[in-house]
Amino acid sequence: MPIEIRPLSTSMGAEVLGADFSKPVSNEDFASILQAFYDYQVLAIRDQNLSPADQIAFSERFGTLEDQLNSRYILPEEPKILVLSNDVKPDGTPVGLIDAGDFWHTDSSHRPLPSMATILYSLKNPDEGGDTGFANMYAAYEALPQSMKDSLDGRRAVQAVSKFKNKRVVASERRPDATEKYTEQMAIPDALHPAIRTHPVTGRKALYVSQRFTIGLEGMSEAEADPILDFLFEHQTKADFVYYHHWQDNDLVMWDNRCVIHRATGGYTYPDVRLMHRTVIAGDAPY
Ligand code: OGA
Ligand code: MN
């Protein structure tokens, strides 16, 4: 039976039905998934029953996997899988990374080679909350006033990993090691990437800034850059560009970090548990 692809919203996103990625993916199914990924930017593949090894095998069809940045919550048997969760072990220590992605961002835009795609497999969803917001950066770019497109053309944005360098975000109080981590990260050099990037496959232009990581624009003072950045952060998350994913258990959701920003919306409290397994596909230098 061929897999079925159905749009999820008018902004972007599609759900994929009738697939079973616990088995090797046929070339034909892989080709339709890949095409849908380029067409819809976010895919929610429903009803998957995947072991960690199955998720790795599926993810590796798309490219080389990244090492997870946070080694504290990786799966011992599959170190390329990071656990996102608010659950706690009997001894009170966290099972996974809590509050990952709480501000709009695109994964690893603070690194010289940012992530191409991220894949989250939902094992358990909370009764309340836990949705993930996605915003379409092709559409956000296309809707910019021409004068803004012209002024951003060829300009690089400054991307910083430490939240302590960014006045528009705050460290999550729920993360036990936040202060040490963000202090340590102060030493990591900022990355410079084009504020408008061209998708290497579709050739379309996408806005490539985000509130979480973008702290400045190259060649501009803070006073010059701030009003532009404030405008862009407001603009890029307008309702027309956004899709909120309400998770079903066993959803395998993948998104294209080259043309989508995303955000965890939170809104759930232990013992209402959320549990995800995360894999990331490595990307190239933005241009
Ligand atoms: C991520 C991320 C959001 C979420 O895994 O990169 O930002 O809703 N996750 O868990
Ligand atoms: Mn993220």
Side-chain angles (χ1 to χ4, degrees), residues 48-211:
Q48 298 305 297
N49 267 298
L50 304 181
S51 68
D54 294 334
Q55 182 172 347
I56 297 283
F58 173 77
S59 304
E60 280 180 335
R61 290 293 300 258
F62 296 90
T64 308
L65 299 196
E66 276 182 13
D67 287 332
Q68 295 287 351
L69 291 183
N70 196 317
S71 55
R72 187 164 158 181
Y73 302 116
I74 53 180
L75 281 187
E77 72 276 23
E78 289 291 355
K80 297 257 157 100
I81 292 187
L82 178 74
V83 179
L84 306 186
S85 188
N86 63 329
D87 204 358
V88 287
K89 295 181 196 158
D91 68 0
T93 57
V95 163
L97 183 62
I98 193 170
D99 284 355
D102 53 351
F103 288 86
W104 286 104
H105 66 286
T106 170
D107 289 328
S108 290
S109 63
H110 59 280
R111 295 175 109 189
L113 301 178
S115 316
M116 178 189 112
T118 305
I119 301 181
L120 275 190
Y121 176 47
S122 118
L123 293 148
K124 160 93 184 64
N125 287 295
D127 294 334
E128 247 188 86
D131 295 1
T132 305
F134 295 97
N136 181 340
M137 291 303 102
Y138 294 141
Y141 168 74
E142 284 154 19
L144 285 174
Q146 189 58 44
S147 58
M148 183 60 80
K149 287 183 183 164
D150 293 342
S151 82
L152 292 176
D153 190 30
R155 185 163 314 263
R156 296 195 296 177
V158 184
Q159 314 275 352
V161 65
S162 175
K163 280 191 172 175
F164 294 161
K165 287 189 182 178
N166 186 342
K167 62 188 173 195
R168 294 180 180 87
V169 301
V170 290
S172 163
E173 282 167 17
R174 299 206 290 166
R175 220 185 262 193
D177 55 349
T179 303
E180 294 100 282
K181 204 182 86 180
Y182 295 127
T183 304
E184 212 177 278
Q185 289 175 344
M186 293 290 285
I188 298 175
D190 300 338
L192 287 165
H193 293 306
I196 310 294
R197 72 180 290 184
T198 306
H199 194 289
V201 179
T202 66
R204 294 176 72 187
K205 287 184 178 182
L207 183 58
Y208 195 65
V209 297
S210 72
Q211 188 188 27

Side-chain angles (χ1 to χ4, degrees), residues 10-24:
T10 53
S11 57
M12 95 202 96
E15 60 180 347
V16 177
L17 303 161
D20 177 2
F21 293 135
S22 67
K23 306 209 171 71

